[in-house]
Amino acid sequence: MPSSPVLSRITGRRIGAAAIVALVVVAVILGWSMLVGADETANDTSGTTWYTVSRRSFPITIVSTGELEAKEKVEIKNKVEGQTTITEIVDEGTVAEEGDVIARLADDEIRNRVEQEELNVENATADQVAAEQDMAIKKSEAGSRLKDVQVKLELAKLDLAKWEQGDVIKERKRLELAHEEAKRKFARYKRDLEYSKKLYEDKYISKSELEAGEDSVLEWKNKFETAMIDIDVYEKYTYPKERRKFVTDVEQATAELDRVQRQNESELAQTHAKLSSKQRSLKIREDRLAKLREQLDATVIKAPKDGLVVYGTSVGPRWRRRDPIRQGRQIGFNETIFILPDTRDMLATVKVHEAVIPQVKVDQTAVITIDAHADERVKGTVTQIGTMAEDGGWMNPELREYDVKIQLPLEALGDKVSLKPAMRCTATIMVGQVDNAKTVPVQAVFAEGKDSFCYVPAGHGKVERRIVKLGRASETYVAIEGGLEEDDHVLLREPRPGEVQE
């Protein structure tokens, strides 16, 4: 059987440092025998000096202290931002029903802020409505301007098309007809003049008639030449000029349309930005008002479920209990005000030293003694072992302990006994069992250096050291694996001066 830590004396002469730590955290196991039925009654050594080595079975236990907590609980925190004051609060221990008001917090400042923010929301709403109307007006004006320039562009394009497909063709046709007419008549009158000249030579017509023919030829010659000039002037000057005018009208209308579109986009963008700003401002105000109303609602604290009212400062670290929850006390945001535990399902949370925590396993049995009900003992089961150790704070920074949670049976002590969170308790955890081993009481074992020994009779009133090999130990007994036999006697105290045989 492997050796295990055992008790050592405060003087340092007994068993090594690891055993000191392991068994200092162990306490009385006698109550366990009453519950589990094992024979744990040691020989009565209270009034005797010697103990006879005998075989026995005994449990290996770790005793730790802690307090009760509810497995299921509702934690109610202060949701009012900043510092606030408790104006009303129910007494601790009150059994509250779901929906009951269990506390009220100061709300005057929040109410004033709510009223001010309501005014701000009304003003922001009016600003948004005005911005929406302005947006509608700007859209209407932009639409009208755009329609005007679109019509102007369409008319300019129609004028250009009408000129190109009508006026130009008509004018060219007119000029061509005038040219053809002048050409024909010039040619005809020219032929007639030649004929008239023959008639005049033959004395058939008068000089005046000949001159009239010459005048006609000259007239239509001029008209013919003029018609040619008109065609040339039209094609070289009039047509390009008129075309430039109509094309320019279309270009100017197109440019004006582009300017109006850009102007509309700019004005509408500015107006939309103003509207968006007003909408965001209103949303911010509404959100702020909603948040303030939530804060106002948070000043009235109601029980979210049925449960026992426990103040937040009544559980957890002891330093929190120096400033208990009470009427008139200031509390900070997210500070725990209440805990509503389900007292039918309780846990014992105890501190176990890191030197012995490896021995503790989930599902081990533990016996719980509650200080408020010292006569009652409850058998529980280890359900959880902390993963991180906690130190002892500034008073004992070297101390390292783990939280161990022990499940108590539902309504552990029956209907007649009420368990409450933060009740102090002691847990005796069964971490092992020694069966039918040679045993001696732990006070019979001493240590010096690496050696463990007992004092045995040497005759003539003297005692001598007997080196022993130790097995596993409880807070009461230690198993002897070598150095002693059954029925040997060991001294249960330190020898007096001169009593040890040299």
Side-chain angles (χ1 to χ4, degrees):
M1 178 182 299
S3 177
S4 64
V6 294
L7 288 175
S8 66
R9 291 191 183 278
I10 299 176
T11 61
R13 296 185 60 217
R14 291 200 177 187
I15 306 164
I20 295 175
V21 176
L23 292 174
V24 163
V25 297
V26 180
V28 179
I29 194 60
L30 296 179
W32 173 258
S33 62
M34 299 172 61
L35 290 171
V36 300
D39 180 10
E40 292 302 317
T41 305
N43 291 336
D44 183 10
T45 60
S46 60
T48 185
T49 303
W50 297 93
Y51 177 82
T52 302
V53 178
S54 60
R55 289 188 173 274
R56 67 173 54 248
S57 299
F58 60 89
I60 307 298
T61 61
I62 294 175
V63 179
S64 298
T65 59
E67 59 184 34
L68 300 184
E69 64 173 277
K71 184 177 182 181
E72 300 293 337
K73 59 188 176 184
V74 177
E75 192 171 2
I76 303 175
K77 296 178 178 291
N78 170 33
K79 295 303 180 184
V80 178
E81 296 178 353
Q83 291 285 325
T84 187
T85 304
I86 300 173
T87 57
E88 297 179 24
I89 190 168
V90 299
D91 293 334
E92 188 171 29
T94 301
V95 177
E97 296 182 357
E98 182 178 349
D100 286 352
V101 175
I102 54 180
R104 295 181 187 273
L105 307 178
D107 61 0
D108 293 345
E109 181 181 354
I110 299 177
R111 287 186 182 276
N112 292 336
R113 291 170 63 190
V114 167
E115 292 175 359
Q116 181 60 49
E117 203 57 46
E118 287 174 343
L119 293 176
N120 292 337
V121 168
E122 290 178 4
N123 292 333
T125 301
D127 290 343
Q128 178 177 307
V129 171
E132 289 172 346
Q133 292 175 346
D134 187 38
M135 185 70 179
I137 292 172
K138 292 294 184 183
K139 284 184 177 180
S140 177
E141 291 177 347
S144 297
R145 286 196 300 268
L146 183 62
K147 187 174 182 180
D148 288 344
V149 295
Q150 286 174 337
V151 170
K152 187 175 180 179
L153 176 59
E154 290 175 2
L155 292 177
K157 289 180 177 179
L158 288 173
D159 287 343
L160 175 60
K162 171 181 172 293
W163 177 78
E164 286 180 334
Q165 300 174 22
D167 294 347
V168 171
I169 295 173
K170 286 168 60 179
E171 184 62 18
R172 282 176 174 167
K173 191 67 174 176
R174 185 187 68 76
L175 291 173
E176 183 181 352
L177 290 174
H179 174 263
E180 290 296 328
E181 181 184 8
K183 181 179 179 181
R184 287 196 307 273
K185 287 189 176 184
F186 173 60
R188 189 183 69 182
Y189 281 114
K190 189 176 180 181
R191 289 194 305 272
D192 288 347
L193 179 60
E194 294 296 326
Y195 183 67
S196 295
K197 284 180 179 181
K198 292 179 179 181
L199 291 177
Y200 177 72
E201 289 177 355
D202 292 336
K203 307 295 185 179
Y204 287 109
I205 61 174
S206 64
K207 179 71 173 176
S208 58
E209 289 176 327
L210 177 61
E211 290 176 349
E214 290 175 345
D215 291 340
S216 294
V217 169
L218 182 60
E219 177 186 359
W220 284 104
K221 178 184 179 182
N222 290 334
K223 286 184 179 181
F224 173 67
E225 291 175 350
T226 300
M228 292 181 64
I229 292 171
D230 287 343
I231 290 174
D232 188 57
V233 169
Y234 180 78
E235 294 297 338
K236 288 183 178 180
Y237 304 106
T238 305
Y239 173 80
K241 177 183 176 181
E242 290 181 349
R243 186 177 187 283
R244 170 47 45 193
K245 175 185 177 301
F246 287 110
V247 171
T248 299
D249 289 345
V250 172
E251 290 175 346
Q252 289 179 344
T254 302
E256 186 176 3
L257 174 61
D258 182 65
R259 286 195 302 273
V260 169
Q261 287 176 330
R262 292 177 181 274
Q263 179 184 355
N264 288 348
E265 289 175 359
S266 176
E267 291 184 358
L268 290 176
Q270 293 177 10
T271 306
H272 186 269
K274 291 179 181 178
L275 175 58
S276 297
S277 176
K278 300 302 181 183
Q279 290 173 334
R280 286 195 301 271
S281 178
L282 176 58
K283 182 66 167 57
I284 290 171
R285 293 294 185 184
E286 288 176 337
D287 290 346
R288 190 174 298 170
L289 178 58
K291 181 68 177 295
L292 287 172
R293 284 173 174 166
E294 288 178 1
Q295 291 284 285
L296 184 60
D297 291 341
T299 61
V300 179
I301 301 174
K302 298 180 180 180
K305 58 177 292 186
D306 297 349
L308 179 71
V309 174
V310 178
Y311 292 166
T313 52
S314 296
V315 297
R318 290 185 178 275
W319 60 265
R320 295 187 61 198
R321 304 176 193 181
R322 298 173 187 170
D323 186 18
I325 295 293
R326 65 187 182 283
Q327 185 175 353
R329 180 185 184 273
Q330 282 200 330
I331 56 173
F333 175 68
N334 220 33
E335 182 177 347
T336 299
I337 305 177
F338 298 109
I339 293 175
L340 300 185
D342 183 353
T343 56
R344 297 169 301 175
D345 192 2
M346 301 292 286
L347 298 172
T349 301
V350 297
K351 303 288 186 181
V352 176
H353 196 280
E354 65 177 349
V356 294
I357 196 66
Q359 301 180 55
V360 180
K361 308 294 181 184
V362 172
D363 293 333
Q364 287 176 341
T365 301
V367 174
I368 310 300
T369 302
I370 302 165
D371 292 2
H373 307 286
D375 295 335
E376 303 284 348
R377 288 177 176 79
V378 181
K379 188 185 297 186
T381 304
V382 174
T383 58
Q384 183 178 340
I385 301 169
T387 56
M388 298 291 292
E390 298 180 5
D391 60 39
W394 64 271
M395 294 185 64
N396 192 1
E398 300 301 322
L399 178 64
R400 305 283 291 174
E401 294 180 315
Y402 288 80
D403 282 344
V404 174
K405 296 186 182 296
I406 301 168
Q407 175 69 57
L408 277 62
L410 293 178
E411 298 180 350
L413 299 181
D415 297 334
K416 296 181 180 179
V417 177
S418 176
L419 299 183
K420 297 181 180 179
M423 282 184 170
R424 299 295 297 172
C425 64
T426 300
T428 302
I429 305 172
M430 291 293 301
V431 297
Q433 175 76 18
V434 174
D435 293 320
N436 193 29
K438 290 181 293 184
T439 60
V440 297
V442 292
Q443 61 265 37
V445 180
F446 299 83
E448 186 173 287
K450 296 182 179 180
D451 293 331
S452 299
F453 56 90
C454 295
Y455 289 102
V456 298
H460 307 290
K462 299 285 186 178
V463 295
E464 63 179 3
R465 285 185 181 186
R466 178 78 59 81
I467 300 297
V468 295
K469 182 180 179 182
L470 303 179
R472 302 180 70 186
S474 71
E475 76 289 347
T476 307
Y477 293 105
V478 59
I480 302 298
E481 296 184 351
L484 292 175
E485 299 298 333
E486 288 186 62
D487 298 327
D488 284 349
H489 297 282
V490 294
L491 189 64
L492 294 178
R493 58 172 173 77
E494 289 192 59
R496 300 184 180 91
E499 193 174 0
V500 179
Q501 179 174 293
E502 298 296 338

